Protein backbone atom coordinates (compact mmCIF):
# COMPACT_ATOMS: atom_id res chain seq x y z
CA UNK A 1 0.00 0.00 0.00
CA UNK A 2 1.28 3.44 -0.92
CA UNK A 3 0.99 6.54 1.30
CA UNK A 4 0.60 10.16 0.12
CA UNK A 5 0.67 13.32 2.24
CA UNK A 6 -0.99 16.54 1.15
CA UNK A 7 -1.37 20.05 2.56
CA UNK A 8 -3.89 22.87 2.31
CA UNK A 9 -4.81 25.93 4.36
CA UNK A 10 -8.06 27.06 5.87
CA UNK A 11 -9.09 30.68 5.92
CA UNK A 12 -7.64 32.10 9.13
CA UNK A 13 -10.95 32.73 10.86
CA UNK A 14 -11.87 30.95 14.12
CA UNK A 15 -15.57 30.56 13.29
CA UNK A 16 -14.84 29.19 9.81
CA UNK A 17 -12.28 26.74 11.21
CA UNK A 18 -14.78 25.53 13.81
CA UNK A 19 -17.41 25.03 11.09
CA UNK A 20 -14.91 23.12 8.93
CA UNK A 21 -14.07 20.84 11.85
CA UNK A 22 -17.79 20.28 12.51
CA UNK A 23 -18.42 19.22 8.90
CA UNK A 24 -15.58 16.72 9.20
CA UNK A 25 -17.14 15.14 12.26
CA UNK A 26 -20.12 14.24 10.03
CA UNK A 27 -18.82 13.87 6.46
CA UNK A 28 -21.60 13.15 3.99
CA UNK A 29 -22.00 9.42 3.25
CA UNK A 30 -21.69 10.02 -0.51
CA UNK A 31 -18.31 11.69 0.03
CA UNK A 32 -17.10 8.80 2.21
CA UNK A 33 -18.26 6.34 -0.46
CA UNK A 34 -16.39 8.27 -3.18
CA UNK A 35 -13.20 8.14 -1.11
CA UNK A 36 -13.44 4.36 -0.77
CA UNK A 37 -14.48 3.82 -4.40
CA UNK A 38 -11.42 5.74 -5.63
CA UNK A 39 -9.02 3.28 -4.01
CA UNK A 40 -8.25 5.26 -0.87
CA UNK A 41 -8.02 2.65 1.88
CA UNK A 42 -7.47 5.08 4.76
CA UNK A 43 -7.58 8.87 5.11
CA UNK A 44 -6.68 11.15 8.00
CA UNK A 45 -6.70 14.94 8.16
CA UNK A 46 -4.80 16.82 10.85
CA UNK A 47 -4.92 20.54 11.59
CA UNK A 48 -2.67 23.01 13.36
CA UNK A 49 -4.08 26.54 13.41
CA UNK A 50 -5.30 26.97 9.82
CA UNK A 51 -2.88 24.48 8.16
CA UNK A 52 -4.29 21.10 7.13
CA UNK A 53 -2.27 17.92 6.61
CA UNK A 54 -3.86 14.89 4.92
CA UNK A 55 -2.47 11.36 4.89
CA UNK A 56 -3.97 8.84 2.49
CA UNK A 57 -3.10 5.18 2.11
CA UNK A 58 -4.13 3.90 -1.31
CA UNK A 59 -4.51 0.66 -3.23
CA UNK A 60 -2.41 -0.14 -6.29
CA UNK A 61 -5.38 0.90 -8.49
CA UNK A 62 -5.49 4.44 -7.09
CA UNK A 63 -4.43 7.44 -9.16
CA UNK A 64 -4.99 11.14 -8.56
CA UNK A 65 -6.19 11.50 -12.16
CA UNK A 66 -8.83 8.77 -11.74
CA UNK A 67 -9.96 10.27 -8.42
CA UNK A 68 -10.32 13.71 -10.04
CA UNK A 69 -12.37 12.26 -12.89
CA UNK A 70 -14.61 10.35 -10.48
CA UNK A 71 -15.13 13.50 -8.39
CA UNK A 72 -16.00 15.58 -11.46
CA UNK A 73 -18.73 13.10 -12.33
CA UNK A 74 -20.19 12.93 -8.80
CA UNK A 75 -22.71 15.71 -8.08
CA UNK A 76 -22.65 15.22 -4.30
CA UNK A 77 -18.84 15.36 -4.19
CA UNK A 78 -18.98 18.55 -6.26
CA UNK A 79 -21.45 20.06 -3.77
CA UNK A 80 -19.10 19.09 -0.91
CA UNK A 81 -16.06 20.60 -2.67
CA UNK A 82 -17.90 23.87 -3.34
CA UNK A 83 -19.01 23.99 0.30
CA UNK A 84 -15.51 23.22 1.61
CA UNK A 85 -13.98 25.96 -0.55
CA UNK A 86 -15.87 28.45 1.64
CA UNK A 87 -13.48 27.43 4.43
CA UNK A 88 -10.33 26.50 2.50
CA UNK A 89 -7.72 28.63 0.78
CA UNK A 90 -4.88 27.62 -1.47
CA UNK A 91 -1.35 27.51 -0.14
CA UNK A 92 0.52 30.73 -1.01
CA UNK A 93 2.63 28.98 -3.68
CA UNK A 94 -0.22 26.98 -5.27
CA UNK A 95 -0.95 27.40 -8.96
CA UNK A 96 -4.41 28.68 -9.96
CA UNK A 97 -7.03 26.00 -9.36
CA UNK A 98 -4.83 23.87 -7.08
CA UNK A 99 -6.16 22.88 -3.66
CA UNK A 100 -4.58 19.98 -1.81
CA UNK A 101 -0.88 19.84 -2.73
CA UNK A 102 1.21 16.69 -2.61
CA UNK A 103 4.04 16.93 -0.09
CA UNK A 104 7.54 15.59 -0.60
CA UNK A 105 8.92 13.16 1.97
CA UNK A 106 12.17 14.56 3.37
CA UNK A 107 12.86 12.08 6.19
CA UNK A 108 11.98 8.57 7.30
CA UNK A 109 13.43 6.47 10.12
Amino acid sequence: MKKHCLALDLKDDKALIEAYDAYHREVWPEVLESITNSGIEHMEIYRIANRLFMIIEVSDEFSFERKAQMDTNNQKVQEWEILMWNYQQALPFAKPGEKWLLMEKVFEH
Side-chain angles (χ1 to χ4, degrees), residues 22-53:
Y23 273 109
H24 282 79
R25 286 191 290 275
E26 295 188 39
V27 175
W28 300 348
E30 298 90 348
V31 172
L32 295 174
E33 182 179 11
S34 77
I35 291 168
T36 302
N37 290 344
S38 73
I40 296 173
E41 306 268 335
H42 187 77
M43 176 186 284
E44 298 175 343
I45 299 176
Y46 295 86
R47 180 179 60 73
I48 184 165
N50 70 316
R51 176 72 37 97
L52 298 174
F53 175 60

Side-chain angles (χ1 to χ4, degrees), residues 28 30-31 70-82:
W28 300 348
E30 298 90 348
V31 172
M70 291 175 69
D71 289 351
T72 297
N73 295 323
N74 185 320
Q75 181 61 36
K76 210 61 174 164
V77 170
Q78 289 303 305
E79 289 177 32
W80 176 265
E81 290 299 327
I82 290 167

Side-chain angles (χ1 to χ4, degrees), residues 1-108:
M1 193 173 324
K2 191 165 185 173
K3 185 185 300 185
H4 299 285
C5 300
L6 302 101
L8 178 66
D9 282 348
L10 294 174
K11 294 176 182 172
D12 198 8
D13 176 283
K14 186 177 178 180
L16 292 176
I17 291 170
E18 288 174 3
Y20 183 87
D21 288 351
Y23 273 109
H24 282 79
R25 286 191 290 275
E26 295 188 39
V27 175
W28 300 348
E30 298 90 348
V31 172
L32 295 174
E33 182 179 11
S34 77
I35 291 168
T36 302
N37 290 344
S38 73
I40 296 173
E41 306 268 335
H42 187 77
M43 176 186 284
E44 298 175 343
I45 299 176
Y46 295 86
R47 180 179 60 73
I48 184 165
N50 70 316
R51 176 72 37 97
L52 298 174
F53 175 60
M54 179 192 296
I55 304 168
I56 58 173
E57 295 176 352
V58 300
S59 68
D60 291 338
E61 296 78 35
F62 176 84
S63 77
F64 287 104
E65 297 78 15
R66 181 172 167 264
K67 172 80 168 106
Q69 183 178 26
M70 291 175 69
D71 289 351
T72 297
N73 295 323
N74 185 320
Q75 181 61 36
K76 210 61 174 164
V77 170
Q78 289 303 305
E79 289 177 32
W80 176 265
E81 290 299 327
I82 290 167
L83 177 62
M84 290 303 104
W85 199 238
N86 290 311
Y87 308 99
Q88 299 166 334
Q89 64 182 4
L91 293 171
F93 45 84
K95 296 175 186 155
E98 287 184 328
K99 287 180 72 170
W100 287 98
L101 296 182
L102 195 57
M103 299 176 75
E104 178 183 346
K105 183 191 300 187
V106 295
F107 177 80
E108 182 173 354

